Amino acid sequence: MLEEKIESLPLVDHHCHGVVRRGLDRAAFEALLTEADAGGGPDGGLFDSRIGFAVRRWCAPVLDLPAHAEPDDYLARRAELGAAEVNRRFLRAAGLAALCVDTGHTPEPLLEPAELGCLAGAPAHEILRLETLAEEVVFDGVSASAFAAEVRARLEARAPRAAGVKSIAAYRAGLELSGERPSGEEVAKAAGRLLRDTERGLAGCDAPPRVRDEVLHRFLVWCACDLGLPIQFHAGYGDADADLRRCDPLLLTGLLRELARKDVPVMLLHNYPFHRNAGYLAQVFPNVFVDVSLAVHNLGDRAWAVLAELMELAPFGKVLFASDAYGLPELYHLGALLFRRGLGRVLAEGVAEGSWTERDAARVAEMIASGNARRAYRLGDRP
Amino acid sequence: MLEEKIESLPLVDHHCHGVVRRGLDRAAFEALLTEADAGGGPDGGLFDSRIGFAVRRWCAPVLDLPAHAEPDDYLARRAELGAAEVNRRFLRAAGLAALCVDTGHTPEPLLEPAELGCLAGAPAHEILRLETLAEEVVFDGVSASAFAAEVRARLEARAPRAAGVKSIAAYRAGLELSGERPSGEEVAKAAGRLLRDTERGLAGCDAPPRVRDEVLHRFLVWCACDLGLPIQFHAGYGDADADLRRCDPLLLTGLLRELARKDVPVMLLHNYPFHRNAGYLAQVFPNVFVDVSLAVHNLGDRAWAVLAELMELAPFGKVLFASDAYGLPELYHLGALLFRRGLGRVLAEGVAEGSWTERDAARVAEMIASGNARRAYRLGDRP
Amino acid sequence: MLEEKIESLPLVDHHCHGVVRRGLDRAAFEALLTEADAGGGPDGGLFDSRIGFAVRRWCAPVLDLPAHAEPDDYLARRAELGAAEVNRRFLRAAGLAALCVDTGHTPEPLLEPAELGCLAGAPAHEILRLETLAEEVVFDGVSASAFAAEVRARLEARAPRAAGVKSIAAYRAGLELSGERPSGEEVAKAAGRLLRDTERGLAGCDAPPRVRDEVLHRFLVWCACDLGLPIQFHAGYGDADADLRRCDPLLLTGLLRELARKDVPVMLLHNYPFHRNAGYLAQVFPNVFVDVSLAVHNLGDRAWAVLAELMELAPFGKVLFASDAYGLPELYHLGALLFRRGLGRVLAEGVAEGSWTERDAARVAEMIASGNARRAYRLGDRP
């Protein structure tokens, strides 16, 4: 009853990405399936893992195949339908009420937010990636002393069309950012270093500028804070480029303490396997929101377990849904479906234990599915 | 059968605090409910979290309300009964066999150990907070060179009336304390720094002295060790003042290795979300005892999960009960009730799996409920 | 059905040790039962813990006693049968298909791999402990400048008879090893320091040489890599000698990133309580394999819980079985039995949830029980 209701709840996906436009063979599909650098590997490869089995179980029927279809059959049917149709089916199947799309990572052409929204039948908002914006400023040419003002100006110009911003400090300098707002002089010096590194072409190869300076990450966060924009932080689980130890959200404690004095929502993304730490931060800091995106679809039917752990300390008004889907449209569907199943299980177990009433559980489910995100991002006020 | 037996087991609460004497409105109640700085927050606030639902489920009936009463009804009934009656009911409902009360944190007048014991119908012992004792020595006036002797003298004078001591190094310098006993010279130097900081009024405001020096924390621990007093350490989960990363009990490894050579019990309090680390320490060090207090009432019906994780490596003779109740008398009741339910579930599942017999399970339940604490604190030898 | 099938699956134990030849009284038995320095302790001691109850439940019947026999009855029966018969019974009961025996830690005479294999009725391969080999080179006499070549020569000579090597960097310098291959000069300098420390007899006592230098640990790993040998790393849970914080497998990230470019399998052993971190590494690095050995028998009927957590991100083709049995033959039996039960539960729950088919579950079970290890260690190619 409760679980059925939850299985049809529209979700606000507060952190997701574009999907690819091209068709995919098995190697290319597996390469996008998880955070591994390469797909495949020994034996059944990534299909012999929770996410692989989840694709066979839950995605195959969306492509008119029986549940548990064999991987090669799945990929053949996928090729037969073509990328456009596959994208259409999975975005629609996800049952989304709104999307907040991080547009800052596009190593290849991906569907734009408007296209995603169109397929999903729901409004799509943009999340600006702070480091990408700063790198564009450098790429377009700027002096060290003018860097800060130019970044502020561009962010301000783009802010009205953005639902929030995202910091990928975790992937670069790590999350151990101090709580202090850097001085203008510090920012100019750091910008100077970035400009010199960029000129040098980063050791000869034609690499684009990359923000990886603790001072600049902090500066960008404070710029967003000054504009009142919700701030997303990558935390925890991601690909092998990051050093996972430097992605523990507890490393942000000092900065979160300062941001709590402003009235700016902070969203800690992913968090696995530090999701209990994230739940603690959501309890003690009034402006911190948390999710277990990315982990949800990677964990398949274990999603309930990490959701239950997140919801140990995190107040239910601070828990969000996100798919963190990237590349494969399947991840929109899996993220949404497995989240609903996991949340349904956690809340239904509470009803069975007598921890809360079914009425309260249904109310909490709606908060987590969409209400919390609407409130935190003020989606109701947006066009 | 087993679970029913456990539901009526008297508990030794080896770490708790006083409760407030005043009536509480909703904001004041929520502010004391969790470790958040401020109560409330968005929507249902802290009532929409595991601990909030636990209050409605388990505390409402003690105040003659139906289970799952609405928060405002609960607070209205609470006000109607008055603080004294509310305190009386919850302390009695907790079913305690003895209390060990930490008296070192009193930002407002709280019930004294004797009053708590009277309400609970059980003997109440005192736990001395080491840093508070040292700060009193400074406040009363002492020279840097006389500091160590004066601390030792006071501790010795108060020791006969105390069941043990507590260190809050986790909140100040962090738990990364070396295993070495500091020299007299090191202590005198550190005391000198503390005296100077105190004189300077800590940057003008009239702040009382605060021990936050790694040397002094260690010195205090060794003073207690020399007197053979059981030593409690705050570890893991606490309020936003602490940096949770510095509260991992594994940081104490070096000091625990040294203290294991003495015959002094060490109690690692709370530990969440590092409770598996604590269980490991309880297995490898013969003098280390552990609990998951504070987490138990915050987690509601998930308490069994962390208890099960603690009891993976921790020998059952090293597991203790504590409520860590502070401020709200509800926390005495919730801590005790949820602990009994969680322990009952863990032990009953073992019986169902065939892991142990019901007889052994009942014996283990008694050890954990009271036997281990009686032995570790020698409560039988105390007046 | 599935669980019954798994209960009789032959296992490749890819990391284990010798067992003692002598009879054991209760204190000696408890001292070998867990990672505690001393056995016993208060009350029921280590028998009142998950592993103790598992011995009574699962080992007693192998010695013709009823399940749940009392500890003293168990030890009396054990003495009656004698060490040789007890070893024979438990090694046989384990149902092993092959053993990979770490021969690098022998504080007392233990059964040799060939003897273990004979009792188990399965081929036994040797795992060379890298640090032990280096220490033998020093003990036998070598100059600092000849150290590297001599280590390489010995490793090369012994490699054909070894299934792989093991690094115990976790116990010495900790796992924070950089990814760089040390230069010949760095190795010679580090060897010089080791030689001087050894000459000095490590502060007077007659201690044997001990490799504990980050440079030497790395050097040894690269030597093994150059020979294409699978490399085991102790990670996570072990005895109180190690500082568990320095055993988090995430500390190896930099080195793993480099080793991933070679085609050398890396096995992360034990990992508890960092097993989710290990699962992540197994997903993102194609050459990383993981287990939860040691934890499995210590956790008794909770083994399924850590196995489930390991198998959240770890692809099922990267999960291995090991007992890490040492000293007591009971640990071979318990490790194998509890692993099969845990794996059976995890896979059967997936079938019940509809996450995968029973056919797929059976296939995965075989991979994890033996197929993955056979492939990673190329056991089929070995004599």
Side-chain angles (χ1 to χ4, degrees), chain A residues 257 283 312 316 355 363, chain B residues 48 56 237 240 272 301 309:
Chain A
R257 200 175 280 130
Q283 186 189 72
E312 284 172 349
F316 301 162
S355 306
R363 184 173 55 81
Chain B
D48 278 342
R56 292 171 58 194
Y237 180 34
Y272 182 95
D301 275 320
E309 289 171 354

Side-chain angles (χ1 to χ4, degrees), chain A residues 50 270 272-276 291-292 295-313 338-347 349, chain B residues 50 272 276 299 302 304-306 309, chain C residues 275-276 302 304-313 346 349 353:
Chain A
R50 286 197 180 269
H270 327 314
Y272 181 94
F274 310 114
H275 44 287
R276 276 173 162 160
D291 70 42
V292 280
V296 165
H297 61 255
N298 271 278
L299 265 59
D301 275 321
R302 281 283 295 180
W304 71 271
V306 293
L307 206 48
E309 290 171 354
L310 181 75
M311 291 168 67
E312 284 172 349
L313 288 191
L338 295 167
F339 184 82
R340 286 191 193 94
R341 280 172 62 88
L343 183 64
R345 177 165 169 179
V346 171
L347 292 176
E349 282 183 356
Chain B
R50 287 197 179 270
Y272 182 95
R276 276 174 163 159
L299 266 60
R302 281 282 296 180
W304 72 270
V306 293
E309 289 171 354
Chain C
H275 44 287
R276 277 174 161 159
R302 281 283 295 180
W304 71 271
V306 294
L307 207 47
E309 289 171 354
L310 180 74
M311 291 167 67
E312 285 173 347
L313 289 191
V346 170
E349 282 184 355
E353 291 269 338

Side-chain angles (χ1 to χ4, degrees), chain A residues 42-334:
Chain A
D43 272 349
L46 290 172
F47 273 100
D48 278 342
S49 64
R50 286 197 180 269
I51 187 172
F53 282 110
V55 166
R56 293 171 57 194
R57 167 68 189 90
W58 297 110
C59 296
V62 176
L63 306 188
D64 314 316
L65 295 173
H68 309 298
E70 291 297 323
D72 288 334
D73 296 341
Y74 182 83
L75 287 153
R77 174 65 181 157
R78 207 181 186 283
E80 189 178 50
L81 288 169
E85 172 65 9
V86 169
N87 285 343
R88 197 189 64 72
R89 289 194 184 192
F90 285 117
L91 263 298
R92 178 65 58 161
L96 302 182
L99 297 78
C100 299
V101 185
D102 172 1
T103 53
H105 182 55
T106 50
E108 69 173 279
L110 302 175
L111 261 60
E112 297 289 331
E115 294 172 287
L116 293 165
C118 183
L119 294 182
H125 309 282
E126 188 179 6
I127 301 291
L128 294 175
R129 197 178 281 203
L130 291 170
E131 289 78 8
T132 304
L133 183 139
E135 288 158 5
E136 286 167 4
V137 166
V138 171
F139 189 81
D140 293 345
V142 73
S143 70
S145 58
F147 172 82
E150 179 59 24
V151 165
R152 283 188 186 283
R154 273 205 211 188
L155 190 59
E156 200 167 350
R158 295 183 65 180
R161 295 190 315 279
V165 300
K166 180 188 175 189
S167 166
I168 55 160
Y171 270 91
R172 305 282 178 83
L175 287 180
E176 196 161 8
L177 306 176
S178 96
E180 279 168 45
R181 185 191 284 266
S183 70
E185 196 182 348
E186 287 173 303
V187 175
K189 272 191 185 166
R193 286 191 297 270
L194 177 60
L195 291 169
R196 280 192 300 279
D197 286 350
T198 304
E199 270 170 41
R200 249 182 259 137
L202 289 172
C205 61
D206 243 355
R210 266 169 85 89
V211 171
R212 54 169 81 256
D213 188 314
E214 189 265 343
V215 169
L216 296 181
H217 290 300
R218 264 194 293 148
F219 163 69
L220 291 164
V221 167
W222 283 107
C223 290
C225 176
D226 292 341
L227 293 169
L229 288 166
I231 304 167
Q232 302 180 344
F233 283 96
H234 176 99
Y237 181 33
D239 65 40
D241 269 2
D243 183 342
L244 187 53
R245 276 195 320 135
R246 305 171 77 193
C247 302
D248 184 340
L250 288 182
L251 292 166
L252 277 177
T253 303
L255 181 54
L256 293 176
R257 200 175 280 130
E258 294 308 313
L259 292 173
R261 296 182 190 165
K262 317 291 170 181
D263 202 23
V264 172
V266 172
M267 284 75 179
L268 303 174
L269 307 174
H270 327 314
N271 294 302
Y272 181 94
F274 310 114
H275 44 287
R276 276 173 162 160
N277 299 358
Y280 157 81
L281 294 168
Q283 186 189 72
V284 301
F285 292 118
N287 59 328
V288 170
F289 293 77
V290 289
D291 70 42
V292 280
S293 59
L294 187 57
V296 165
H297 61 255
N298 271 278
L299 265 59
D301 275 321
R302 281 283 295 180
W304 71 271
V306 293
L307 206 48
E309 290 171 354
L310 181 75
M311 291 168 67
E312 284 172 349
L313 288 191
F316 301 162
K318 312 292 270 315
V319 175
L320 302 176
F321 164 72
S323 67
D324 194 33
Y326 174 88
L328 300 181
E330 278 89 341
L331 305 182
Y332 274 98
H333 175 52
L334 282 181

